[in-house]
């Protein structure tokens, strides 16, 4: 029986994989929170991997506090870069498989067309720099890795934009949301299913892939969809990013082209609104 290790088990994606796992009893699932897969302590992580002995690693664990990373660069790089390299090296040495999750923040946001996997990377914040360094380490230590870049992740689990909007729209009469950052949301349950589909597939095609739901929207338009589906009466206004300054800059455009993963693994990716509806069921 193949053993699948999921790091970051209590995060959004890890939680969705945990919810999905009972449908795949042919695998032994190991869901590791930060006490079982300690990404900020490399010596401990090495011994944990050697103890667990996974056949497949879903590396969903990451340092994701985008603004905090500006002042915690060393920690962000330890988790998003050094730990990734260590996992990739372990996987290569032990003839296992690795699916590593990355981000649209590896791009600078100056594109005007959907970004494919060969688009030039140029992160504009520390978080993005650390994630790009992790991709490079991952491929260097194990060229057989699969890396999936995703964007705007939300879920029924954890903290995310959808939950924040649901709360604010019930608490307030009016809110403002940035309208000049363009991309597409990712329902973590859809990404979790895609990851399992890859492992279930008869083929393993290493490399970088993009995954998000279909559709091209701004955060403002995303908020409008949440208001509509939640039947909230809160007024939603659109504002430029300059009116909502944050310690870390965000890419203005990070729409991901999903052609490669759809053709390689015959995936049917839902439109963002179809997946968003599931949060309101």
């Amino acid at each position: 029986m193949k053993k699948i290790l999921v790091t970051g088990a209590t995060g959004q994606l890890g939680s969705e994989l945990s919810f999905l796992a009972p449908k795949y009893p042919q695998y032994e699932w190991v869901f590791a929170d930060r006490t079982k897969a300690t990404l900020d302590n490399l010596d401990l992580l090495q011994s944990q991997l050697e103890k667990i002995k996974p056949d497949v690693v879903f590396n969903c664990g990451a340092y994701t506090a985008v603004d905090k990373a500006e002042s915690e660069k060393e920690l962000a790089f330890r988790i998003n870069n050094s730990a990734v390299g260590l996992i990739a090296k372990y996987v290569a040495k032990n003839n296992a498989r690795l699916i590593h999750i990355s981000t649209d923040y590896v791009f600078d946001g100056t594109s005007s067309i959907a970004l494919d996997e060969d688009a030039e990377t140029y992160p504009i914040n520390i978080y993005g720099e650390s994630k790009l360094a992790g991709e490079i380490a991952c491929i260097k230590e194990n060229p057989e890795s699969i890396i999936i870049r995703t964007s705007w992740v939300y879920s029924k689990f954890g903290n995310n934009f959808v939950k924040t909007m649901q709360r604010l729209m019930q608490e307030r009469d009016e809110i403002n949301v940035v309208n000049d950052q363009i991309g597409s949301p990712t329902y973590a349950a859809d990404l979790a299913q895609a990851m399992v589909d890859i492992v279930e597939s008869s083929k393993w095609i290493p490399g970088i892939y993009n995954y998000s739901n279909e559709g091209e929207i701004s955060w403002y338009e995303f908020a409008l969809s949440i208001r509509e589906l939640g039947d909230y009466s809160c007024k939603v206004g659109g504002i430029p990013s300059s009116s909502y300054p944050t310690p870390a800059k965000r890419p203005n455009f990070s729409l991901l082209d999903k052609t490669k993963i759809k053709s390689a693994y015959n995936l049917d990716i839902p439109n963002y609104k179809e997946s968003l509806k599931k949060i309101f069921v």
Side-chain angles (χ1 to χ4, degrees), residues 154-168 170 226 279:
Y154 71 94
S155 163
K156 290 179 180 177
F157 306 100
N159 298 314
N160 54 69
F161 181 80
V162 175
K163 283 189 172 180
T164 299
M165 289 297 107
Q166 288 177 310
R167 176 175 56 79
L168 291 177
Q170 292 175 82
I226 294 164
I279 293 289

Side-chain angles (χ1 to χ4, degrees), residues 109-137:
T110 58
S111 178
S112 57
I113 58 168
L115 295 144
D116 67 17
E117 290 79 1
D118 296 322
E120 188 176 356
T121 52
Y122 194 85
I124 55 173
N125 57 43
I126 298 297
Y127 167 70
E129 287 177 16
S130 70
K131 291 296 285 183
L132 179 58
E135 288 186 6
I136 293 165

Side-chain angles (χ1 to χ4, degrees), residues 15-27 29 31 196:
S15 297
E16 292 288 3
L17 283 161
S18 180
F19 187 74
L20 193 61
K23 293 181 184 176
Y24 297 92
Q26 67 269 39
Y27 301 112
W29 294 86
F31 289 93
V196 175

Side-chain angles (χ1 to χ4, degrees), residues 235-271:
K235 186 180 176 184
V236 181
I239 57 168
S241 300
S242 56
S243 298
Y244 189 74
T246 52
K249 283 180 72 179
R250 266 68 171 173
N252 283 334
F253 186 95
S254 58
L255 183 67
L256 301 173
D257 183 314
K258 278 81 68 174
T259 306
K260 182 179 175 183
I261 199 167
K262 285 192 288 188
S263 66
Y265 289 102
N266 197 28
L267 295 182
D268 182 23
I269 301 179
N271 182 273

Side-chain angles (χ1 to χ4, degrees), residues 5-275:
L5 167 64
V6 179
T7 70
T10 57
Q12 295 185 84
L13 186 53
S15 297
E16 292 288 3
L17 283 161
S18 180
F19 187 74
L20 193 61
K23 293 181 184 176
Y24 297 92
Q26 67 269 39
Y27 301 112
E28 180 185 347
W29 294 86
V30 179
F31 289 93
D33 60 13
R34 62 189 60 179
T35 65
K36 289 184 187 170
T38 313
L39 302 180
D40 61 351
N41 184 327
L42 302 187
D43 291 337
L44 183 55
L45 178 61
Q46 180 70 40
S47 65
Q48 289 166 333
L49 288 169
E50 288 166 0
K51 187 178 178 183
I52 295 167
K53 294 184 174 60
D55 300 293
V56 179
V57 179
F58 288 163
N59 188 36
C60 307
Y63 181 105
T64 57
V66 177
D67 289 320
K68 217 172 170 186
E70 296 295 307
S71 58
E72 292 187 344
K73 182 175 179 177
E74 187 195 347
L75 181 59
F77 268 80
R78 195 184 317 146
I79 294 171
N80 292 345
N81 173 26
S82 303
V84 177
L86 188 151
I87 292 168
K89 193 172 185 177
Y90 173 87
V91 163
K93 186 182 174 186
N94 291 276
N95 199 28
R97 300 287 198 197
L98 171 60
I99 297 182
H100 169 64
I101 302 301
S102 192
T103 174
D104 60 317
Y105 277 42
V106 298
F107 300 112
D108 66 4
T110 58
S111 178
S112 57
I113 58 168
L115 295 144
D116 67 17
E117 290 79 1
D118 296 322
E120 188 176 356
T121 52
Y122 194 85
I124 55 173
N125 57 43
I126 298 297
Y127 167 70
E129 287 177 16
S130 70
K131 291 296 285 183
L132 179 58
E135 288 186 6
I136 293 165
C138 186
I139 293 167
K140 177 177 174 250
E141 297 292 352
N142 180 21
E144 291 296 305
S145 299
I146 286 176
I147 295 170
I148 301 177
R149 291 173 178 155
T150 190
S151 61
W152 300 18
V153 178
Y154 71 94
S155 163
K156 290 179 180 177
F157 306 100
N159 298 314
N160 54 69
F161 181 80
V162 175
K163 283 189 172 180
T164 299
M165 289 297 107
Q166 288 177 310
R167 176 175 56 79
L168 291 177
M169 286 177 188
Q170 292 175 82
E171 290 175 357
R172 301 183 187 177
D173 297 326
E174 187 175 345
I175 58 170
N176 291 318
V177 181
V178 294
N179 60 9
D180 58 357
Q181 293 175 21
I182 307 298
S184 188
T186 304
Y187 181 35
D190 293 339
L191 177 53
Q193 184 64 64
M195 293 166 72
V196 175
D197 287 346
I198 289 171
V199 172
E200 284 277 277
S201 162
S202 59
K203 53 192 174 182
W204 182 271
I205 310 166
I208 297 174
Y209 295 88
N210 293 334
Y211 189 98
S212 68
N213 286 114
E214 299 286 15
E216 177 179 345
I217 56 169
S218 66
W219 288 107
Y220 166 70
E221 290 167 315
F222 195 19
L224 292 181
S225 295
I226 294 164
R227 185 182 69 174
E228 177 193 340
L229 290 169
D231 198 24
Y232 304 124
S233 57
C234 177
K235 186 180 176 184
V236 181
I239 57 168
S241 300
S242 56
S243 298
Y244 189 74
T246 52
K249 283 180 72 179
R250 266 68 171 173
N252 283 334
F253 186 95
S254 58
L255 183 67
L256 301 173
D257 183 314
K258 278 81 68 174
T259 306
K260 182 179 175 183
I261 199 167
K262 285 192 288 188
S263 66
Y265 289 102
N266 197 28
L267 295 182
D268 182 23
I269 301 179
N271 182 273
Y272 86 92
K273 211 162 184 182
E274 289 306 305
S275 292

